[in-house]
Amino acid sequence: MKIATYKDGSRDGQLVVVSRDLSTAHYATGIANTLQQALDDWNFIAPQLQDLYVTLNHGKARHSFNFDPRLCAAPLPRAFQWADGSAFINHVELVRRARGAEVPASFYTDPLMYQGGSDDLLGACDPVVVPSEAMGIDFEAEIAVVTGDVPMGADADAALAGVRLLMLANDVSLRNLIPNELAKGFGFFQSKPATAFSPVAVTPDELGDAWQGGRVHLTVQSTWNGRKVGMCDAGPDMTFHFGQLIAHICKTRRVRAGSIVGSGTVSNPGFEQDGRMEWPKGYSCIAEKRAIETIQDGAPKTEYMQFGDTIRIEMKGKDGQSIFGAIDQEIAPLNAG
């Protein structure tokens, strides 16, 4: 099934069920008011939401309405946890290679992960508000999952069974703030503002055979200022699958229902052509494009985002239809309006 959260003036919004083709929706009133409520009692509530979903897809829901992603908050407008991995090691390899650094061997066996802010998550069409262009504004196209309860010590298979929903994410980075923050030895903080998520979250079965081994074997499309810059495969090059990422958290703590876990920037390796490295599938963040330029030509030339820039992130199924709806955002100054 597909679900979303409509803005209603409250902090947690109103849960809606969305049709498979994203054309219509129906409030889940009487079943669950919010997504967190549904996640807290998933085994009881999910079948009721599924029944409404079937009715909606058959065109028999009495009070359905046209679905509008612009009215959506993030599926979870605030979450108990937002933990973002860096599961595509090719991304790490590129960025480090561009600055002449080696990738530690442990990075291939132990996932990278940081704890992001989860008290204020953005809807798919909300602006990305940044105090200054000088901070180095970058988008990051990712996949994320929403979990149920997963016990401490769960292995990767058990952790994977805790995945309830999948979404797309734009994990905005302020690149020029990162070096000083990491130099302190305590990780990201101000360099990671609010993350945005796709208008719709979907249960794994909606992906069919594209959901295999904890990976989504489909293409993440990134369009910057109307120009498609990334057509990156999300499946084969994901070094750590979602079960492994969740199990990484579970080494020392329980993961509770309503936690969001991100994949990190979706990234594919390049290949050598006529003595030069090429990356035909493009990029899912500007930092990677700048790394590619440095590797190819010795220096980056692509600038980071400016106020008024737009970014669109989307994933389509094998039938060509959008699965999650699109993240479609504009970069805006703090004092706009």
Side-chain angles (χ1 to χ4, degrees), residues 3-6 16-19 21-26 56 64-73 198-201 324-326:
I3 52 183
T5 295
Y6 257 33
V16 298
V17 174
V18 183
S19 63
D21 64 3
L22 307 181
S23 65
T24 58
H26 194 289
L56 183 64
S64 64
F65 51 87
N66 292 333
F67 177 65
D68 187 348
R70 294 170 298 180
L71 302 180
C72 288
S198 53
V200 169
F324 306 93

Side-chain angles (χ1 to χ4, degrees), residues 2-243:
K2 300 189 176 187
I3 52 183
T5 295
Y6 257 33
K7 297 177 182 178
D8 65 354
S10 71
R11 291 186 184 272
D12 297 306
Q14 182 69 45
L15 184 64
V16 298
V17 174
V18 183
S19 63
R20 180 170 284 115
D21 64 3
L22 307 181
S23 65
T24 58
H26 194 289
Y27 285 108
T29 308
I31 302 174
N33 292 323
T34 68
L35 179 52
Q36 185 61 53
Q37 181 186 350
L39 292 164
D40 285 339
D41 197 7
W42 187 255
N43 289 338
F44 177 69
I45 292 177
Q48 299 176 65
L49 295 173
Q50 178 68 30
D51 287 345
L52 176 55
Y53 181 62
V54 171
T55 302
L56 183 64
N57 284 322
H58 287 163
K60 296 180 179 180
R62 291 182 58 193
H63 302 292
S64 64
F65 51 87
N66 292 333
F67 177 65
D68 187 348
R70 294 170 298 180
L71 302 180
C72 288
L76 271 176
R78 53 179 176 171
F80 287 114
Q81 178 167 224
W82 158 233
D84 197 23
S86 188
F88 292 84
I89 294 300
N90 180 70
H91 171 72
V92 181
E93 291 173 337
L94 276 174
V95 173
R96 285 185 167 249
R97 180 180 171 188
R99 65 172 191 260
E102 295 290 327
V103 178
S106 64
F107 283 23
Y108 295 91
T109 58
D110 194 33
L112 296 170
M113 188 167 285
Y114 82 92
Q115 189 90 46
S118 60
D119 58 323
D120 182 29
L121 303 175
L122 299 180
C125 300
D126 291 343
V128 177
V129 178
V130 181
S132 170
E133 292 176 333
M135 291 180 174
I137 308 163
D138 197 357
F139 67 90
E140 289 192 55
E142 305 187 7
I143 300 168
V145 298
V146 182
T147 76
D149 289 328
V150 184
M152 187 191 308
D155 63 18
D157 289 340
L160 186 58
V163 171
R164 297 287 179 260
L165 298 162
L166 293 102
M167 312 180 286
L168 299 179
N170 179 18
D171 181 44
V172 179
S173 289
L174 303 179
R175 298 293 182 185
N176 294 339
L177 301 186
I178 289 177
N180 287 341
E181 287 207 309
L182 295 186
K184 295 178 180 179
F186 230 50
F188 301 120
F189 200 81
Q190 291 177 337
S191 51
K192 287 291 188 176
T195 302
F197 293 92
S198 53
V200 169
V202 311
T203 48
D205 62 292
E206 285 293 325
L207 298 173
D209 61 6
W211 176 244
Q212 293 183 24
R215 299 172 174 89
V216 180
H217 292 264
L218 291 169
T219 301
V220 176
Q221 304 179 13
S222 300
T223 304
W224 179 14
N225 289 336
R227 177 173 173 262
K228 196 167 287 183
V229 297
M231 291 287 289
C232 297
D233 292 337
D237 300 313
M238 190 179 184
T239 309
F240 302 102
H241 64 68
F242 278 110

